Amino acid sequence: WITAALVGLLILFGSFLILKTLNPKLTNLEDIVLKINPEVEITLTTGDPQAVCSTHTECALACASFDCYPGGSCDTSSIEPWPGIAQFGDTVAVSDLNIPGVSAAGARILPGLKAPLEAAGSIAIGRGDGLYITGGWRSLTTQFLFACADLGRVPTYVAWPGSSNHGQGIAVDISLTGGPAHGSATYCRELAEIMYAAGWTRYTKEFWHFEYYADPAQRNTGNRSTSVYDCAGG
């Protein structure tokens, strides 16, 4: 046993000398770092809202990673809480707020939107109308389900997951319960006039989508508007 051990040490040392002579780098051992599926590796950070994925390729990988397909689990818990995305516990059901002139079925909002919605509801009542909220806060899982159902609609009709203002809890999809024909320029202007008077801003690409910013300086930037003239043409 001792002889065999000594012979083994000689062989090991001899191999080391041969490798050292051929190329010294062959004897420099570095830490081994295993990267598991780096393409869909997502790092959680804090700060401003940001897209989890910003290209169709990245989002396809993320959809597969979270299994966000019809019948899938769509489990995004591994990256939550995501920057800027409100949690379910941060929100309240609109129907529980009993806001005059405003109704909803299942939509949730941040509590801070109650006062702006009360103002909009009061204005709508004064005009002989009412408001109906079809959508409010959306979880990160819901955003992924919308996107992964058809990535071809991203980002034209569906925002990159993680970047939607619905997820931030500052946006509502809203409609009139009466008035002119739905979707017409007259309808758009009437809805906009009510919401603008209450301090809301409209996303210009969707006549039904309104956002509330406490800072007035944020209300007319990018694709946001407070001008009824944007409703011309429907």
Side-chain angles (χ1 to χ4, degrees):
W1 290 354
I2 293 174
T3 300
L6 291 174
V7 171
L9 288 174
L10 287 173
I11 294 174
L12 182 62
F13 184 67
S15 301
F16 177 82
L17 288 178
I18 293 172
L19 292 174
K20 187 77 171 178
T21 302
L22 293 175
N23 188 346
K25 291 184 178 180
L26 294 175
T27 59
N28 293 332
L29 300 180
E30 299 179 356
D31 293 337
I32 298 175
V33 179
L34 296 178
K35 291 186 177 182
I36 302 176
N37 202 3
E39 291 85 357
V40 294
E41 182 178 296
I42 299 171
T43 303
L44 177 62
T45 60
T46 57
D48 295 331
Q50 57 186 334
V52 178
C53 51
S54 55
T55 68
H56 289 146
T57 300
E58 289 177 353
C59 284
L61 291 168
C63 289
S65 176
F66 301 134
D67 194 22
C68 292
Y69 297 103
S73 60
C74 198
D75 183 6
T76 60
S77 60
S78 61
I79 61 170
E80 294 186 85
W82 187 258
I85 302 299
Q87 300 299 297
F88 179 87
D90 300 328
T91 66
V92 294
V94 177
S95 57
D96 291 341
L97 298 177
N98 299 314
I99 302 174
V102 178
S103 57
R108 302 183 68 85
I109 60 170
L110 290 180
L113 293 187
K114 179 182 179 182
L117 279 179
E118 286 177 333
S122 177
I123 296 169
I125 291 174
R127 297 176 64 132
D129 214 327
L131 301 172
Y132 183 77
I133 298 180
T134 58
W137 168 79
R138 293 175 189 161
S139 66
L140 184 60
T141 294
T142 301
Q143 293 184 41
F144 260 103
L145 286 171
F146 281 170
C148 297
D150 183 1
L151 287 177
R153 300 173 66 225
V154 181
T156 306
Y157 300 104
V158 178
W160 299 111
S163 66
S164 172
N165 287 333
H166 282 286
Q168 298 175 49
I170 63 171
V172 293
D173 291 337
I174 200 163
S175 62
L176 295 172
T177 56
H182 185 277
S184 66
T186 303
Y187 178 100
C188 176
R189 283 195 295 270
E190 184 164 334
L191 178 59
E193 286 172 357
I194 292 172
M195 299 301 286
Y196 293 165
W200 291 79
T201 294
R202 186 168 64 87
Y203 177 52
T204 56
K205 295 183 179 181
E206 299 174 345
F207 68 83
W208 60 85
H209 177 113
F210 290 86
E211 304 165 356
Y212 186 81
Y213 296 89
D215 182 1
Q218 294 180 283
R219 295 176 185 170
N220 286 284
T221 59
N223 289 317
R224 305 177 188 126
S225 176
T226 55
S227 172
V228 294
Y229 296 104
D230 289 331
C231 286

